[in-house]
Amino acid sequence: MHPRLSALAALRLTDPDEKVAATRAIGAMSMDGATESIAAGPIRTAGDDLGVPGRPERPLRVAATAVQKRSPFTTEGRAALIHSICHIEFNAINLALDAVWRYDGMPETYYRDWLRVADEEAQHFTLLHAHLQDMGWRYGDFPGHDGLWNMCEKTKDDVLARMALVPRTLEARGLDATPLIQGKLKRVNTPDALRAVEILDIILRDEVGHVAIGNHWYRWLCEREGIDPEATYPALVARYEAPRLKPPFNLEARGRAGFSSEELRQLSSAQDKA
């Protein structure tokens, strides 16, 4: 099967464990060079988005404003926090697979980049879900929202907008939020909280690379279309009603993830004014 069609098949799977296994298998073949040329010819057909994305019946999907806030200083509150990150990682598997399958006409390295991202998101989900089970819960035991996938839907016909508004906007917010979450868990200072900090260290390290991939392909696409990336970005935010960036910002991580010096200057200025 064409590797991008394998990504589609994994994307349609509803069982989290099956999706993780299929995603990791495709990623392994890609990294071993065992796959055929991923960029060979278009693969999209009419109606092929049926069943995209595959998701389990649980967790119950609710609006972001309906997700109950729980204190990390209680065991159940920490479980709910880990579950929320686990849900983000499950959606991140889907969005990476979708980036591989959905867009014809991109270079070979684009597809391999996003297969690697999908594989790493599957690893993150596995780590978090195992930790959640050690705490006595499972994925699906708490509700979750669909903010990440909703932006995938909005940008499904525009790969430039997808690169601008998912990895370098929504996922970049994770670079900002993770140290704050880790700080709270360190104050809790229980074994499960400290294990969660360790897992988040792995995720933060990898997510810097994922955002960097988004930045790279966003700028590559802007160059291909002859448009200025920094001037185009706010127009895309407005057109697709993307969330506005709010401080605090992890400027160090964003710098490693490929944001330009001007973008970092603007973020720093916004942070100083907040």
Side-chain angles (χ1 to χ4, degrees):
M1 183 184 293
H2 191 289
R4 289 175 61 205
L5 294 178
S6 295
L8 173 58
L11 179 59
R12 286 175 170 156
L13 291 171
T14 59
D15 181 87
D17 292 337
E18 292 178 3
K19 188 185 293 286
V20 164
T23 300
R24 300 226 58 200
I26 303 166
M29 286 191 295
S30 174
M31 286 183 279
D32 290 343
T35 58
E36 62 185 276
S37 176
I38 307 175
I43 58 100
R44 295 296 310 275
T45 58
D48 59 359
D49 57 354
L50 185 66
V52 171
R55 295 182 287 200
E57 291 184 5
R58 301 176 65 224
L60 176 67
R61 294 188 295 277
V62 299
T65 53
V67 177
Q68 183 180 353
K69 302 295 183 184
R70 293 180 173 89
S71 170
F73 291 91
T74 68
T75 304
E76 184 173 357
R78 290 193 299 281
L81 173 61
I82 298 303
H83 186 278
S84 69
I85 304 170
C86 200
H87 183 61
I88 290 169
E89 296 299 328
F90 182 80
N91 277 282
I93 298 170
N94 281 339
L95 79 86
L97 292 171
D98 190 81
V100 173
W101 157 71
R102 186 172 295 277
Y103 302 108
D104 286 334
M106 295 295 287
E108 180 85 9
T109 49
Y110 166 89
Y111 300 114
R112 294 195 182 275
D113 277 349
W114 285 106
L115 282 174
R116 178 167 64 82
V117 172
D119 181 69
E120 290 178 353
E121 303 292 18
Q123 294 178 54
H124 299 167
F125 177 86
T126 300
L127 287 169
L128 289 163
H129 195 203
H131 185 49
L132 188 62
Q133 290 174 84
D134 287 343
M135 296 177 70
W137 281 267
R138 292 187 61 83
Y139 180 55
D141 286 348
F142 299 92
H145 69 81
D146 264 358
L148 191 57
W149 185 259
N150 288 343
M151 187 53 68
C152 289
E153 284 288 337
K154 286 183 179 181
T155 58
K156 64 183 181 180
D157 297 322
D158 187 346
V159 64
L160 174 64
R162 172 68 66 86
M163 294 298 107
L165 301 178
V166 175
R168 72 188 308 271
T169 300
L170 297 185
E171 291 191 279
R173 293 173 75 179
L175 305 184
D176 304 327
T178 298
L180 303 178
I181 295 170
Q182 289 178 301
K184 291 180 181 179
L185 292 169
K186 287 175 182 177
R187 290 197 296 276
V188 172
N189 200 35
T190 60
D192 68 274
L194 296 178
R195 174 56 183 154
V197 171
E198 293 174 354
I199 295 170
L200 289 173
D201 277 336
I202 296 168
I203 292 174
L204 180 59
R205 177 201 67 199
D206 292 345
E207 292 298 338
V208 168
H210 301 175
V211 176
I213 287 170
N215 266 317
H216 169 77
W217 289 110
Y218 171 67
R219 294 180 183 281
W220 183 90
L221 287 157
C222 285
E223 182 177 353
R224 186 177 74 171
E225 296 186 19
I227 56 179
D228 178 74
E230 290 174 15
T232 300
Y233 178 73
L236 291 170
V237 169
R239 184 187 311 164
Y240 290 94
E241 300 178 321
R244 300 287 176 174
L245 299 179
K246 296 179 181 179
F249 303 114
N250 187 343
L251 297 175
E252 186 273 334
R254 283 175 174 266
R256 288 190 288 121
F259 286 91
S260 71
S261 57
E262 175 58 22
E263 288 172 318
L264 294 173
R265 186 196 67 76
Q266 291 176 10
L267 292 172
S268 179
S269 177
Q271 187 160 259
D272 290 343
K273 293 176 182 176

